[in-house]
Amino acid sequence: MNRILDYFKIGPVFAYFIRVFRKPDPNRPTSVNLRMMHGINRISIIMFLFAVIVYTIRHCTR
């Protein structure tokens, strides 16, 4: 049973959502590719949250 619950742990996912919006750690190495990847991830997270909000509002007002 414990192995099944390990598949549904989403704590690291939420930790990444918070980490991607923080300023980068100056002690970690950075590159242009990594900064672009985080930028694209920020855009996609914001678009997803906007779509969820719009869908919720449309669903509740019907």
Side-chain angles (χ1 to χ4, degrees):
M1 183 67 175
N2 193 20
R3 294 182 76 191
I4 294 172
L5 292 177
D6 288 338
Y7 288 113
F8 293 105
K9 288 185 180 179
I10 56 173
V13 174
F14 288 120
Y16 176 76
F17 286 160
I18 294 169
R19 187 177 67 232
V20 79
F21 287 104
R22 289 187 186 159
K23 294 210 178 221
D25 185 15
N27 298 328
R28 298 182 79 183
T30 183
S31 68
V32 175
N33 293 333
L34 186 63
R35 288 188 297 175
M36 289 295 203
M37 180 192 70
H38 285 299
I40 291 170
N41 285 347
R42 285 182 193 119
I43 293 168
S44 64
I45 290 169
I46 291 169
M47 288 177 63
F48 174 75
L49 292 176
F50 179 73
V52 167
I53 291 169
V54 168
Y55 177 77
T56 304
I57 290 171
R58 285 186 179 178
H59 184 71
C60 290
T61 58
R62 287 186 180 190

